[in-house]
C-alpha cells in the first residue's frame, strides 16, 4: 500500500525536518525487505542510547509491535497498526495516558515510527470487499524495516564498547591489586626504593576515579597506573637481579689496570696478574676467600667518598640514588654512551656503577677512563674481574692515608680523621 511522501501530524503537533527525513528513509526501503520484528526490537533496545530512545519509550514500541499480527515485518505488507490509547496503555503495563503520549512522541522524534493521522485524528483501518485493509491510520512501523541494518550496526558498536569497558575495568582492578601488593612486598622485604612517593602517586591516580567513569577516563587511569607499575616492578626486579648475581657468582678476582701503565691500580695488581696468568696456584691469591655476597652500600660509599659530592644534596641513601649519579659522572669522566651501555650489559647496572665510582675516585690517576672501563668490561666478560678487589684497594688506601696523617700529628694535637673498619674487614684487605 502506497502512502503520500509526507504525512503531517493532526492537530497542534508540529511538523519537523527530522520527521520528513524519517518518512523519506522509510519510503526508500528496498523492495522485498523483511525483518524479524522481535530480533530487530532487541537490536533497537541495545542501541537505544545512540538512537535517543528511553526505556519507557521502548515499552511503548514493544506494545505497538505486539499489535502487528505477523512475526516478520515485510516491505510489501501492512506495516501500520491502529490501537487506541486505552489498548496501547494496557499492553504497556498500565502506563498513564500522559506518559504514553509523551513516549509516543519520543518514538516519533527518534524516527522509529511514523504517525499516519486520519483527518479527524482517530486511528482506524478501512477494509475492502475481500476483507483486506485498503486504508489505515495509526503508527507506521516501516522505519524499523528500512533502518534494520543501521540498528544492527549500532548494536554491534555498543556491544564492542561494552566489551572494551569491561576489559578496562578488569585491567584497572588488576593494576590496582598488583601495585598495592608489590609496594607492600617492597616495604616488607626492605627493598631500596622511594616507596612513599610511589604510594602517594597511586593514591593520586586512584583518587581521580569516579563512581561511573567513562571509557576514555579508564584508558587514561590505566595508562598512568601501568607506568607506575613498571616503576615498582623495576625496583623489585633490580633487587632480584642483584641477589641472583650474588648467588650465581662463582669466584671473585683481582682487577688489572691496562689503559694507564702508571695507574696506582696497576701498580697494586700488576704483579698479581702475572701470578694468575702463570697458573701457579701456590703463588696466586685465594680469590674464593672473598665474600660471596653483594657489597654493602655504606662500604662502597666509604671507599668512593667523592661519589657523594655528585649526588643531589650530597647524600645517597639507597642503591637507586647511587645508580642515578652515573648519569652525571659518566660524561665528566669522558666515558662514551656505548662503553657505558656495554659495561651495564656485561657487569649489570649495579656492578657497572660501582666500577664507575671507583674510577671516579681515582680519576686523577687514570688518563683514559673510557678505555679503562672497556678493559674492565672485557675482563668481566671472561669472568676475570670483580668489584670487591677495587673497593678493598680504595679502602686500604684510605686506611694507609689515615695512618700517615696520624703519625704527623703532635701528641696533644687534633687527631686526623681516619676510616673505621672492623677487624674482619682489615683481615680481608690484607689478603
Amino acid at each position: 500500500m502506497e502512502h503520500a511522501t509526507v504525512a503531517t501530524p493532526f492537530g497542534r503537533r508540529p511538523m519537523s525536518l527530522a520527521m520528513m527525513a524519517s518518512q523519506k528513509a522509510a519510503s526508500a526501503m528496498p523492495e522485498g525487505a523483511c525483518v524479524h520484528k522481535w530480533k530487530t526490537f532487541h537490536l533497537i533496545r541495545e542501541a537505544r542510547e545512540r538512537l535517543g530512545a528511553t526505556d519507557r519509550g521502548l515499552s511503548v514500541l514493544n506494545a505497538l509491535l505486539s499489535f502487528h499480527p505477523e512475526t516478520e515485518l515485510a516491505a510489501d505488507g501492512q506495516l501500520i497498526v491502529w490501537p487506541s490509547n486505552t489498548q496501547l496503555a494496557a499492553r504497556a503495563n498500565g502506563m498513564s495516558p500522559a506518559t504514553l503520549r509523551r513516549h509516543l512522541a519520543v518514538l516519533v522524534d527518534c524516527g522509529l515510527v511514523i504517525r499516519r493521522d486520519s483527518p479527524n485524528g482517530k486511528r482506524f483501518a478501512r477494509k475492502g470487499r475481500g476483507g483486506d485493509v485498503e486504508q489505515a491510520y495509526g503508527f507506521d512501523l516501516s522505519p524499523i524495516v528500512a533502518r534494520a541494518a543501521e540498528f544492527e550496526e549500532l548494536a554491534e558498536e555498543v556491544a564492542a564498547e561494552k566489551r572494551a569497558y569491561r576489559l578496562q575495568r578488569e585491567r584497572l582492578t588488576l593494576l590496582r591489586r598488583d601495585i598495592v601488593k608489590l609496594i607492600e612486598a617492597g616495604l616488607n622485604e626492605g627493598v631500596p626504593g622511594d616507596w612513599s612517593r610511589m604510594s602517594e602517586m597511586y593514591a593520586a591516580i586512584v583518587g581521580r576515579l569516579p563512581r561511573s567513569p567513562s571509557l576514555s577516563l579508564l584508558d587514561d587511569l590505566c595508562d598512568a597506573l601501568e607506568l607506575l607499575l613498571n616503576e615498582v616492578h623495576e625496583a623489585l626486579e633490580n633487587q632480584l637481579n642483584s641477589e641472583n648475581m650474588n648467588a650465581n657468582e662463582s669466584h671473585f678476582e683481582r682487577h688489572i689496570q691496562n689503559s694507564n701503565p702508571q695507574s696506582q691500580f696497576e701498580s697494586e695488581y700488576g704483579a698479581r696478574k702475572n701470578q694468575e696468568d702463570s697458573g701457579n696456584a701456590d703463588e696466586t691469591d685465594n680469590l674464593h676467600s672473598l665474600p660471596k655476597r653483594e657489597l654493602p652500600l655504606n662500604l662502597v660509599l666509604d671507599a668512593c667518598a667523592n661519589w657523594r659530592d655528585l649526588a643531589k644534596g650530597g647524600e645517597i641513601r639507597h642503591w637507586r640514588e647511587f645508580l642515578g649519579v652515573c648519569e652525571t659522572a659518566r660524561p665528566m669522566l669522558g666515558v662514551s654512551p656505548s662503553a657505558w651501555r656495554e659495561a651495564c650489559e656485561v657487569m649489570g647496572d649495579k656492578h657497572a656503577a660501582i666500577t664507575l665510582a671507583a674510577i671516579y675516585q681515582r680519576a686523577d690517576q687514570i688518563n683514559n677512563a673510557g678505555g679503562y672501563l672497556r678493559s674492565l668490561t672485557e675482563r668481566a666478560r671472561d669472568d676475570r674481574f670483580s668489584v670487591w678487589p677495587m673497593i678493598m684497594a680504595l679502602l686500604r688506601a684510605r686506611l694507609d692515608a689515615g695512618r700517615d696523617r696520624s703519625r704527623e700529628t703532635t701528641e696533644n694535637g687534633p687527631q686526623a680523621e681516619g676510616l673505621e673498619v672492623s677487624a674482619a674487614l682489615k683481615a680481608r684487605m690484607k689478603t
Side-chain angles (χ1 to χ4, degrees):
M1 181 172 54
E2 295 183 357
H3 302 287
T5 304
V6 177
T8 58
F10 172 78
R12 287 183 283 183
R13 286 191 293 266
M15 185 66 183
S16 67
L17 291 177
M19 294 169 63
M20 291 183 62
S22 176
Q23 294 178 30
K24 183 178 180 180
S27 63
M29 63 181 171
E31 294 183 4
C34 183
V35 299
H36 192 289
K37 64 180 183 181
W38 298 121
K39 290 182 179 179
T40 307
F41 176 74
H42 175 74
L43 297 176
I44 294 173
R45 184 174 59 193
E46 292 297 318
R48 65 182 180 275
E49 293 182 359
R50 296 288 189 90
L51 296 170
T54 61
D55 53 349
R56 302 296 296 276
L58 292 183
S59 297
V60 176
L61 180 60
N62 181 79
L64 285 173
L65 289 173
S66 69
F67 283 101
H68 192 277
E70 304 295 334
T71 303
E72 293 185 342
L73 302 177
D76 54 357
Q78 174 57 250
L79 295 176
I80 296 179
V81 293
W82 54 90
S84 66
N85 281 358
T86 302
Q87 293 173 321
L88 196 55
R91 293 199 185 183
N93 303 319
M95 188 177 293
S96 67
T99 304
L100 178 66
R101 289 192 296 270
R102 185 169 66 252
H103 289 291
L104 280 171
V106 171
L107 293 178
V108 173
D109 292 338
C110 294
L112 295 176
V113 297
I114 298 173
R115 290 183 184 274
R116 301 290 182 183
D117 289 343
S118 66
N120 62 1
K122 301 295 183 180
R123 300 174 200 141
F124 63 89
R126 185 178 294 114
K127 297 182 180 180
R129 291 182 179 179
D132 295 333
V133 176
E134 291 183 349
Q135 183 71 40
Y137 297 100
F139 295 101
D140 189 353
L141 304 176
S142 56
I144 296 178
V145 181
R147 301 176 62 187
E150 176 190 351
F151 298 149
E152 184 176 3
E153 183 178 344
L154 289 176
E156 289 178 355
E157 291 179 1
V158 170
E161 287 185 359
K162 287 182 178 179
R163 286 194 298 270
Y165 189 86
R166 184 177 66 254
L167 291 176
Q168 285 298 73
R169 291 289 303 200
E170 292 175 358
R171 180 188 175 200
L172 178 68
T173 301
L174 292 175
L175 286 170
R176 293 180 64 178
R177 184 182 71 191
D178 292 347
I179 291 174
V180 169
K181 289 187 177 295
L182 289 178
I183 289 179
E184 289 179 352
L187 292 172
N188 294 336
E189 298 290 338
V191 177
D194 196 352
W195 302 112
S196 60
R197 181 184 62 83
M198 296 180 191
S199 300
E200 291 173 359
M201 289 178 61
Y202 171 78
I205 295 172
V206 175
R208 296 166 49 198
L209 183 64
R211 182 180 296 274
S212 299
S214 63
L215 180 59
S216 59
L217 179 59
L218 281 179
D219 291 338
D220 294 340
L221 295 179
C222 287
D223 291 341
L225 287 174
E226 191 162 4
L227 291 175
L228 178 59
L229 177 61
N230 291 337
E231 184 177 354
V232 174
H233 187 268
E234 181 182 356
L236 297 175
E237 196 173 48
N238 289 338
Q239 180 68 13
L240 285 178
N241 291 338
S242 64
E243 292 178 357
N244 289 337
M245 288 176 60
N246 180 45
N248 295 331
E249 200 166 46
S250 61
H251 65 275
F252 294 85
E253 193 169 337
R254 304 279 182 171
H255 80 284
I256 296 297
Q257 157 67 326
N258 291 327
S259 63
N260 180 11
Q262 281 72 40
S263 166
Q264 182 173 344
F265 284 160
E266 182 177 355
S267 65
E268 292 178 352
Y269 298 108
R272 300 182 186 271
K273 166 77 165 57
N274 295 332
Q275 294 174 352
E276 294 168 7
D277 292 344
S278 67
N280 188 340
D282 295 335
E283 297 177 359
T284 57
D285 290 327
N286 184 8
L287 300 180
H288 294 279
S289 64
L290 290 172
K292 302 299 186 293
R293 60 182 177 84
E294 287 293 322
L295 278 163
L297 177 60
N298 292 335
L299 189 66
V300 176
L301 292 176
D302 286 340
C304 308
N306 296 342
W307 197 249
R308 281 195 179 94
D309 298 337
L310 302 179
K312 184 177 181 180
E315 184 180 3
I316 297 177
R317 294 166 296 181
H318 45 71
W319 283 111
R320 191 176 188 85
E321 293 179 351
F322 186 91
L323 296 175
V325 178
C326 295
E327 294 304 319
T328 303
R330 182 191 60 76
M332 292 177 61
L333 292 171
V335 176
S336 65
S338 60
W340 174 242
R341 183 167 54 253
E342 184 179 5
C344 291
E345 291 174 355
V346 174
M347 303 181 190
D349 292 345
K350 183 182 291 187
H351 283 203
I354 295 173
T355 304
L356 192 67
I359 294 175
Y360 183 78
Q361 186 67 24
R362 291 289 182 86
D364 57 337
Q365 302 174 14
I366 299 175
N367 295 333
N368 184 357
Y372 184 37
L373 181 62
R374 286 187 184 275
S375 174
L376 296 180
T377 301
E378 289 303 315
R379 290 179 56 80
R381 193 190 306 275
D382 298 333
D383 200 20
R384 295 187 297 111
F385 169 71
S386 169
V387 293
W388 269 94
M390 296 182 71
I391 298 302
M392 293 301 102
L394 291 172
L395 287 172
R396 186 164 53 249
R398 289 197 62 186
L399 284 174
D400 294 342
R403 284 195 294 267
D404 292 341
R405 285 195 298 269
S406 297
R407 283 195 294 265
E408 293 175 359
T409 58
T410 60
E411 181 177 356
N412 297 326
Q415 295 294 319
E417 181 181 358
L419 179 65
E420 296 294 333
V421 297
S422 65
L425 183 57
K426 289 180 180 179
R428 289 287 185 193
M429 291 188 292
K430 292 178 181 179
T431 58

